[in-house]
Amino acid sequence: MDDSLREALDAGRAYYAKKEFKRAEAYLQQLIDAEVAYADVYNMMGVVKHHDGAFSKAKAHFEKALELNPAYTEASLNLAVTYNDMGLYQEAKELYLNALTSSESHDGKLEAFVAGKLANMYADIAMVYCTAGVFEEGIQEYRRALQLRPTFVDLRLRLA
């Protein structure tokens, strides 16, 4: 990912976190136009579109997020809410129950949603270390993140 896309990703995530959806949308759209295959980008854009009342567009973005990461519980739940808002009650119920069932903890391990959130938090800490020039600590935090979610391609790219 080039620097301009990395900046768009950082800005989009930052504005999204502050619930400044209109500002986040422009940056997220840049990433989508560049075909960046990050499930969280599509999930965030889905939330933006849902917030605007564009349920069909939100649905498409949530579905793309789930195509990229079928275990993305947050995107599943967002899609279930969108289905419900579109009057697709049976689909919403099935998706919701499936998301809850697939995210349950087994054998004392973290459930997928929690592990994903923690992995992203470790990645955020790693980015702070790297920005401060403390690369060894940053690398350790990225490795922690990848221990939790080894399939997160964006974490692998950041570590590289």
Tab-separated table of all heavy atoms in Angstrom, residues 1 6 9-10 13 36-40 69 112 114-127 130 138-160:
chain	number	residue	atom	x	y	z
A	1	MET	N	0.853	-1.169	0.000
A	1	MET	CA	0.000	0.000	0.000
A	1	MET	C	0.898	1.231	0.000
A	1	MET	O	1.812	1.336	0.810
A	1	MET	CB	-0.893	-0.010	1.242
A	1	MET	CG	-1.746	1.222	1.378
A	1	MET	SD	-2.779	1.257	2.864
A	1	MET	CE	-3.850	-0.102	2.586
A	6	ARG	N	-2.179	4.740	2.606
A	6	ARG	CA	-1.994	4.562	4.059
A	6	ARG	C	-2.553	5.786	4.799
A	6	ARG	O	-3.226	5.661	5.809
A	6	ARG	CB	-0.509	4.365	4.366
A	6	ARG	CG	-0.111	4.444	5.824
A	6	ARG	CD	-0.684	3.426	6.758
A	6	ARG	NE	-0.466	2.079	6.328
A	6	ARG	CZ	-1.237	1.074	6.717
A	6	ARG	NH1	-2.239	1.279	7.525
A	6	ARG	NH2	-1.014	-0.143	6.298
A	9	LEU	N	-6.277	5.641	4.695
A	9	LEU	CA	-6.757	4.650	5.653
A	9	LEU	C	-6.730	5.209	7.068
A	9	LEU	O	-7.716	5.098	7.810
A	9	LEU	CB	-5.913	3.376	5.563
A	9	LEU	CG	-6.277	2.244	6.506
A	9	LEU	CD1	-7.702	1.756	6.247
A	9	LEU	CD2	-5.287	1.093	6.361
A	10	ASP	N	-5.637	5.818	7.442
A	10	ASP	CA	-5.518	6.394	8.783
A	10	ASP	C	-6.556	7.495	9.006
A	10	ASP	O	-7.202	7.542	10.051
A	10	ASP	CB	-4.107	6.936	9.018
A	10	ASP	CG	-3.062	5.830	9.086
A	10	ASP	OD1	-3.432	4.653	9.280
A	10	ASP	OD2	-1.862	6.149	8.927
A	13	ARG	N	-10.151	5.983	9.177
A	13	ARG	CA	-10.376	5.337	10.484
A	13	ARG	C	-10.535	6.378	11.596
A	13	ARG	O	-11.373	6.218	12.484
A	13	ARG	CB	-9.221	4.400	10.811
A	13	ARG	CG	-9.263	3.105	10.043
A	13	ARG	CD	-8.084	2.223	10.372
A	13	ARG	NE	-8.215	0.912	9.745
A	13	ARG	CZ	-7.203	0.095	9.543
A	13	ARG	NH1	-5.977	0.440	9.909
A	13	ARG	NH2	-7.400	-1.079	8.970
A	36	VAL	N	-8.552	-1.632	-2.297
A	36	VAL	CA	-7.870	-2.095	-1.101
A	36	VAL	C	-8.781	-3.123	-0.439
A	36	VAL	O	-9.926	-2.820	-0.112
A	36	VAL	CB	-7.557	-0.915	-0.151
A	36	VAL	CG1	-7.017	-1.411	1.167
A	36	VAL	CG2	-6.577	0.043	-0.815
A	37	ALA	N	-8.285	-4.312	-0.240
A	37	ALA	CA	-9.106	-5.424	0.236
A	37	ALA	C	-9.050	-5.571	1.750
A	37	ALA	O	-8.630	-6.593	2.276
A	37	ALA	CB	-8.673	-6.710	-0.459
A	38	TYR	N	-9.486	-4.542	2.460
A	38	TYR	CA	-9.554	-4.578	3.913
A	38	TYR	C	-11.021	-4.640	4.314
A	38	TYR	O	-11.795	-3.728	4.012
A	38	TYR	CB	-8.930	-3.334	4.534
A	38	TYR	CG	-7.421	-3.240	4.434
A	38	TYR	CD1	-6.656	-4.205	3.787
A	38	TYR	CD2	-6.765	-2.174	5.008
A	38	TYR	CE1	-5.280	-4.096	3.706
A	38	TYR	CE2	-5.381	-2.058	4.933
A	38	TYR	CZ	-4.651	-3.029	4.280
A	38	TYR	OH	-3.281	-2.920	4.211
A	39	ALA	N	-11.379	-5.685	5.024
A	39	ALA	CA	-12.766	-5.861	5.425
A	39	ALA	C	-13.261	-4.694	6.272
A	39	ALA	O	-14.415	-4.276	6.137
A	39	ALA	CB	-12.929	-7.174	6.178
A	40	ASP	N	-12.404	-4.145	7.120
A	40	ASP	CA	-12.868	-3.058	7.984
A	40	ASP	C	-13.208	-1.801	7.193
A	40	ASP	O	-14.089	-1.040	7.578
A	40	ASP	CB	-11.879	-2.762	9.113
A	40	ASP	CG	-10.592	-2.116	8.665
A	40	ASP	OD1	-10.066	-2.476	7.595
A	40	ASP	OD2	-10.087	-1.247	9.408
A	69	ASN	N	-13.715	-11.288	4.835
A	69	ASN	CA	-13.485	-11.913	6.138
A	69	ASN	C	-14.802	-12.496	6.644
A	69	ASN	O	-15.562	-11.808	7.333
A	69	ASN	CB	-12.930	-10.886	7.131
A	69	ASN	CG	-12.666	-11.497	8.497
A	69	ASN	OD1	-12.889	-12.678	8.729
A	69	ASN	ND2	-12.198	-10.674	9.425
A	112	ALA	N	-14.005	-14.664	18.222
A	112	ALA	CA	-13.401	-14.016	17.056
A	112	ALA	C	-13.521	-12.496	17.091
A	112	ALA	O	-12.573	-11.783	16.770
A	112	ALA	CB	-14.028	-14.570	15.780
A	114	VAL	N	-13.829	-10.425	19.679
A	114	VAL	CA	-12.952	-9.860	20.707
A	114	VAL	C	-11.492	-9.966	20.269
A	114	VAL	O	-10.731	-9.008	20.409
A	114	VAL	CB	-13.183	-10.553	22.069
A	114	VAL	CG1	-12.163	-10.093	23.103
A	114	VAL	CG2	-14.602	-10.296	22.568
A	115	ALA	N	-11.115	-11.105	19.720
A	115	ALA	CA	-9.733	-11.276	19.258
A	115	ALA	C	-9.391	-10.262	18.161
A	115	ALA	O	-8.296	-9.707	18.148
A	115	ALA	CB	-9.522	-12.704	18.747
A	116	GLY	N	-10.338	-10.006	17.278
A	116	GLY	CA	-10.120	-9.016	16.222
A	116	GLY	C	-9.956	-7.620	16.773
A	116	GLY	O	-9.079	-6.858	16.331
A	117	LYS	N	-10.805	-7.271	17.734
A	117	LYS	CA	-10.689	-5.943	18.358
A	117	LYS	C	-9.334	-5.792	19.052
A	117	LYS	O	-8.674	-4.751	18.920
A	117	LYS	CB	-11.822	-5.716	19.368
A	117	LYS	CG	-13.160	-5.466	18.746
A	117	LYS	CD	-13.175	-4.095	18.120
A	117	LYS	CE	-14.552	-3.727	17.663
A	117	LYS	NZ	-14.581	-2.502	16.907
A	118	LEU	N	-8.934	-6.809	19.805
A	118	LEU	CA	-7.640	-6.744	20.489
A	118	LEU	C	-6.481	-6.668	19.496
A	118	LEU	O	-5.533	-5.909	19.712
A	118	LEU	CB	-7.462	-7.958	21.409
A	118	LEU	CG	-8.283	-7.942	22.688
A	118	LEU	CD1	-8.166	-9.280	23.402
A	118	LEU	CD2	-7.837	-6.815	23.605
A	119	ALA	N	-6.563	-7.428	18.434
A	119	ALA	CA	-5.511	-7.387	17.413
A	119	ALA	C	-5.379	-5.982	16.834
A	119	ALA	O	-4.265	-5.475	16.653
A	119	ALA	CB	-5.807	-8.404	16.313
A	120	ASN	N	-6.506	-5.357	16.560
A	120	ASN	CA	-6.458	-3.985	16.027
A	120	ASN	C	-5.921	-2.998	17.054
A	120	ASN	O	-5.242	-2.032	16.692
A	120	ASN	CB	-7.836	-3.568	15.516
A	120	ASN	CG	-8.164	-4.241	14.202
A	120	ASN	OD1	-7.298	-4.498	13.381
A	120	ASN	ND2	-9.432	-4.530	14.001
A	121	MET	N	-6.200	-3.225	18.327
A	121	MET	CA	-5.644	-2.357	19.373
A	121	MET	C	-4.118	-2.507	19.446
A	121	MET	O	-3.397	-1.515	19.575
A	121	MET	CB	-6.276	-2.679	20.723
A	121	MET	CG	-7.708	-2.232	20.841
A	121	MET	SD	-8.355	-2.752	22.443
A	121	MET	CE	-9.926	-1.936	22.428
A	122	TYR	N	-3.644	-3.760	19.380
A	122	TYR	CA	-2.190	-3.979	19.356
A	122	TYR	C	-1.572	-3.286	18.144
A	122	TYR	O	-0.490	-2.698	18.238
A	122	TYR	CB	-1.852	-5.465	19.324
A	122	TYR	CG	-1.966	-6.171	20.659
A	122	TYR	CD1	-2.683	-7.350	20.770
A	122	TYR	CD2	-1.349	-5.672	21.798
A	122	TYR	CE1	-2.786	-8.015	21.985
A	122	TYR	CE2	-1.445	-6.316	23.017
A	122	TYR	CZ	-2.161	-7.500	23.101
A	122	TYR	OH	-2.262	-8.140	24.299
A	123	ALA	N	-2.246	-3.356	17.013
A	123	ALA	CA	-1.745	-2.703	15.798
A	123	ALA	C	-1.681	-1.189	15.977
A	123	ALA	O	-0.737	-0.544	15.511
A	123	ALA	CB	-2.616	-3.070	14.601
A	124	ASP	N	-2.673	-0.616	16.656
A	124	ASP	CA	-2.655	0.822	16.919
A	124	ASP	C	-1.472	1.199	17.813
A	124	ASP	O	-0.798	2.205	17.581
A	124	ASP	CB	-3.964	1.275	17.576
A	124	ASP	CG	-5.144	1.236	16.622
A	124	ASP	OD1	-4.934	1.188	15.390
A	124	ASP	OD2	-6.298	1.249	17.114
A	125	ILE	N	-1.221	0.383	18.824
A	125	ILE	CA	-0.082	0.628	19.713
A	125	ILE	C	1.222	0.518	18.911
A	125	ILE	O	2.132	1.340	19.065
A	125	ILE	CB	-0.087	-0.359	20.896
A	125	ILE	CG1	-1.283	-0.067	21.811
A	125	ILE	CG2	1.223	-0.293	21.670
A	125	ILE	CD1	-1.552	-1.142	22.847
A	126	ALA	N	1.295	-0.488	18.045
A	126	ALA	CA	2.489	-0.669	17.208
A	126	ALA	C	2.737	0.555	16.348
A	126	ALA	O	3.881	0.997	16.192
A	126	ALA	CB	2.323	-1.917	16.338
A	127	MET	N	1.673	1.106	15.794
A	127	MET	CA	1.814	2.282	14.933
A	127	MET	C	2.367	3.471	15.721
A	127	MET	O	3.199	4.222	15.217
A	127	MET	CB	0.469	2.645	14.295
A	127	MET	CG	0.587	3.712	13.221
A	127	MET	SD	-0.983	4.102	12.437
A	127	MET	CE	-1.429	2.524	11.756
A	130	CYS	N	6.072	2.860	16.166
A	130	CYS	CA	6.796	3.075	14.904
A	130	CYS	C	6.878	4.552	14.551
A	130	CYS	O	7.914	5.032	14.094
A	130	CYS	CB	6.142	2.285	13.778
A	130	CYS	SG	6.383	0.493	13.962
A	138	GLY	N	7.379	-1.675	18.214
A	138	GLY	CA	6.307	-1.723	17.225
A	138	GLY	C	6.183	-3.105	16.602
A	138	GLY	O	5.083	-3.643	16.446
A	139	ILE	N	7.322	-3.686	16.276
A	139	ILE	CA	7.332	-5.031	15.690
A	139	ILE	C	6.736	-6.045	16.665
A	139	ILE	O	5.935	-6.900	16.287
A	139	ILE	CB	8.766	-5.420	15.279
A	139	ILE	CG1	9.198	-4.593	14.060
A	139	ILE	CG2	8.887	-6.919	15.001
A	139	ILE	CD1	10.676	-4.686	13.736
A	140	GLN	N	7.092	-5.932	17.926
A	140	GLN	CA	6.546	-6.847	18.938
A	140	GLN	C	5.025	-6.719	19.037
A	140	GLN	O	4.325	-7.726	19.172
A	140	GLN	CB	7.182	-6.583	20.299
A	140	GLN	CG	8.617	-7.031	20.389
A	140	GLN	CD	9.253	-6.674	21.718
A	140	GLN	OE1	8.616	-6.113	22.604
A	140	GLN	NE2	10.521	-7.017	21.864
A	141	GLU	N	4.519	-5.499	18.969
A	141	GLU	CA	3.064	-5.300	19.051
A	141	GLU	C	2.356	-5.854	17.817
A	141	GLU	O	1.282	-6.448	17.921
A	141	GLU	CB	2.730	-3.821	19.246
A	141	GLU	CG	3.206	-3.243	20.570
A	141	GLU	CD	2.639	-3.954	21.785
A	141	GLU	OE1	1.445	-4.323	21.778
A	141	GLU	OE2	3.390	-4.146	22.757
A	142	TYR	N	2.946	-5.672	16.627
A	142	TYR	CA	2.356	-6.260	15.423
A	142	TYR	C	2.347	-7.789	15.519
A	142	TYR	O	1.381	-8.439	15.117
A	142	TYR	CB	3.104	-5.820	14.160
A	142	TYR	CG	2.724	-4.448	13.674
A	142	TYR	CD1	3.680	-3.472	13.430
A	142	TYR	CD2	1.379	-4.111	13.452
A	142	TYR	CE1	3.330	-2.213	12.986
A	142	TYR	CE2	1.023	-2.849	13.005
A	142	TYR	CZ	1.999	-1.908	12.780
A	142	TYR	OH	1.645	-0.660	12.338
A	143	ARG	N	3.392	-8.354	16.068
A	143	ARG	CA	3.441	-9.814	16.226
A	143	ARG	C	2.379	-10.290	17.219
A	143	ARG	O	1.772	-11.346	17.014
A	143	ARG	CB	4.841	-10.253	16.641
A	143	ARG	CG	5.821	-10.145	15.490
A	143	ARG	CD	7.168	-10.711	15.824
A	143	ARG	NE	8.014	-10.659	14.640
A	143	ARG	CZ	9.309	-10.472	14.680
A	143	ARG	NH1	9.937	-10.323	15.824
A	143	ARG	NH2	9.999	-10.435	13.557
A	144	ARG	N	2.155	-9.530	18.260
A	144	ARG	CA	1.072	-9.861	19.204
A	144	ARG	C	-0.276	-9.855	18.491
A	144	ARG	O	-1.106	-10.736	18.698
A	144	ARG	CB	1.011	-8.832	20.328
A	144	ARG	CG	1.800	-9.139	21.502
A	144	ARG	CD	1.441	-8.160	22.604
A	144	ARG	NE	2.145	-8.527	23.794
A	144	ARG	CZ	2.462	-7.701	24.746
A	144	ARG	NH1	2.103	-6.445	24.677
A	144	ARG	NH2	3.112	-8.116	25.799
A	145	ALA	N	-0.472	-8.831	17.676
A	145	ALA	CA	-1.722	-8.724	16.925
A	145	ALA	C	-1.905	-9.932	16.020
A	145	ALA	O	-2.994	-10.517	15.942
A	145	ALA	CB	-1.736	-7.428	16.112
A	146	LEU	N	-0.827	-10.324	15.351
A	146	LEU	CA	-0.909	-11.453	14.422
A	146	LEU	C	-1.074	-12.792	15.132
A	146	LEU	O	-1.613	-13.733	14.554
A	146	LEU	CB	0.310	-11.485	13.505
A	146	LEU	CG	0.256	-10.432	12.393
A	146	LEU	CD1	1.608	-10.284	11.725
A	146	LEU	CD2	-0.818	-10.793	11.380
A	147	GLN	N	-0.644	-12.884	16.379
A	147	GLN	CA	-0.901	-14.102	17.142
A	147	GLN	C	-2.399	-14.284	17.357
A	147	GLN	O	-2.909	-15.403	17.321
A	147	GLN	CB	-0.190	-14.072	18.496
A	147	GLN	CG	1.288	-14.308	18.407
A	147	GLN	CD	1.967	-14.202	19.755
A	147	GLN	OE1	1.484	-13.518	20.662
A	147	GLN	NE2	3.089	-14.874	19.897
A	148	LEU	N	-3.091	-13.178	17.551
A	148	LEU	CA	-4.539	-13.236	17.758
A	148	LEU	C	-5.299	-13.448	16.457
A	148	LEU	O	-6.284	-14.180	16.415
A	148	LEU	CB	-5.033	-11.948	18.431
A	148	LEU	CG	-4.616	-11.753	19.875
A	148	LEU	CD1	-4.968	-10.349	20.338
A	148	LEU	CD2	-5.296	-12.792	20.766
A	149	ARG	N	-4.888	-12.772	15.395
A	149	ARG	CA	-5.605	-12.826	14.113
A	149	ARG	C	-4.606	-12.983	12.973
A	149	ARG	O	-4.318	-12.030	12.242
A	149	ARG	CB	-6.460	-11.576	13.911
A	149	ARG	CG	-7.474	-11.311	14.995
A	149	ARG	CD	-8.371	-12.460	15.329
A	149	ARG	NE	-9.400	-12.621	14.316
A	149	ARG	CZ	-10.056	-13.738	14.121
A	149	ARG	NH1	-9.782	-14.800	14.813
A	149	ARG	NH2	-10.975	-13.805	13.205
A	150	PRO	N	-4.051	-14.172	12.793
A	150	PRO	CA	-3.024	-14.380	11.763
A	150	PRO	C	-3.523	-14.187	10.332
A	150	PRO	O	-2.714	-14.020	9.429
A	150	PRO	CB	-2.573	-15.828	11.997
A	150	PRO	CG	-3.652	-16.463	12.787
A	150	PRO	CD	-4.314	-15.377	13.576
A	151	THR	N	-4.819	-14.169	10.116
A	151	THR	CA	-5.355	-14.009	8.758
A	151	THR	C	-5.593	-12.552	8.378
A	151	THR	O	-6.013	-12.282	7.253
A	151	THR	CB	-6.678	-14.780	8.608
A	151	THR	OG1	-7.630	-14.260	9.535
A	151	THR	CG2	-6.471	-16.268	8.839
A	152	PHE	N	-5.321	-11.612	9.274
A	152	PHE	CA	-5.535	-10.203	8.974
A	152	PHE	C	-4.392	-9.703	8.078
A	152	PHE	O	-3.294	-9.418	8.550
A	152	PHE	CB	-5.603	-9.361	10.245
A	152	PHE	CG	-6.922	-9.401	10.971
A	152	PHE	CD1	-7.871	-10.384	10.725
A	152	PHE	CD2	-7.220	-8.435	11.918
A	152	PHE	CE1	-9.072	-10.411	11.393
A	152	PHE	CE2	-8.430	-8.446	12.590
A	152	PHE	CZ	-9.362	-9.439	12.336
A	153	VAL	N	-4.670	-9.599	6.800
A	153	VAL	CA	-3.660	-9.223	5.817
A	153	VAL	C	-3.090	-7.837	6.100
A	153	VAL	O	-1.886	-7.610	5.960
A	153	VAL	CB	-4.257	-9.285	4.393
A	153	VAL	CG1	-3.251	-8.814	3.357
A	153	VAL	CG2	-4.740	-10.693	4.083
A	154	ASP	N	-3.941	-6.907	6.541
A	154	ASP	CA	-3.444	-5.552	6.793
A	154	ASP	C	-2.389	-5.541	7.901
A	154	ASP	O	-1.433	-4.773	7.832
A	154	ASP	CB	-4.586	-4.581	7.102
A	154	ASP	CG	-5.376	-4.927	8.346
A	154	ASP	OD1	-5.599	-6.131	8.617
A	154	ASP	OD2	-5.802	-3.992	9.049
A	155	LEU	N	-2.523	-6.412	8.882
A	155	LEU	CA	-1.515	-6.483	9.943
A	155	LEU	C	-0.205	-7.033	9.405
A	155	LEU	O	0.865	-6.550	9.757
A	155	LEU	CB	-2.021	-7.342	11.096
A	155	LEU	CG	-3.269	-6.845	11.818
A	155	LEU	CD1	-3.646	-7.801	12.932
A	155	LEU	CD2	-3.068	-5.445	12.366
A	156	ARG	N	-0.290	-8.020	8.533
A	156	ARG	CA	0.922	-8.581	7.924
A	156	ARG	C	1.652	-7.521	7.094
A	156	ARG	O	2.866	-7.421	7.131
A	156	ARG	CB	0.580	-9.774	7.045
A	156	ARG	CG	0.127	-10.969	7.837
A	156	ARG	CD	0.092	-12.231	7.003
A	156	ARG	NE	-0.260	-13.365	7.817
A	156	ARG	CZ	0.567	-13.990	8.651
A	156	ARG	NH1	1.804	-13.582	8.756
A	156	ARG	NH2	0.161	-15.000	9.357
A	157	LEU	N	0.864	-6.735	6.357
A	157	LEU	CA	1.473	-5.676	5.541
A	157	LEU	C	2.139	-4.625	6.407
A	157	LEU	O	3.232	-4.151	6.100
A	157	LEU	CB	0.418	-5.033	4.642
A	157	LEU	CG	-0.053	-5.879	3.471
A	157	LEU	CD1	-1.234	-5.200	2.774
A	157	LEU	CD2	1.072	-6.116	2.497
A	158	ARG	N	1.485	-4.243	7.486
A	158	ARG	CA	2.082	-3.238	8.373
A	158	ARG	C	3.363	-3.761	8.986
A	158	ARG	O	4.336	-3.018	9.115
A	158	ARG	CB	1.103	-2.850	9.481
A	158	ARG	CG	-0.067	-2.046	8.995
A	158	ARG	CD	-0.875	-1.557	10.170
A	158	ARG	NE	-2.288	-1.486	9.856
A	158	ARG	CZ	-3.218	-1.184	10.727
A	158	ARG	NH1	-2.896	-0.922	11.977
A	158	ARG	NH2	-4.474	-1.143	10.381
A	159	LEU	N	3.376	-5.032	9.391
A	159	LEU	CA	4.582	-5.615	9.960
A	159	LEU	C	5.710	-5.633	8.935
A	159	LEU	O	6.850	-5.328	9.261
A	159	LEU	CB	4.309	-7.024	10.476
A	159	LEU	CG	5.523	-7.762	11.053
A	159	LEU	CD1	6.135	-7.004	12.222
A	159	LEU	CD2	5.107	-9.171	11.476
A	160	ALA	N	5.364	-5.945	7.707
A	160	ALA	CA	6.390	-5.982	6.655
A	160	ALA	C	6.982	-4.595	6.469
A	160	ALA	O	8.154	-4.419	6.245
A	160	ALA	CB	5.784	-6.469	5.351
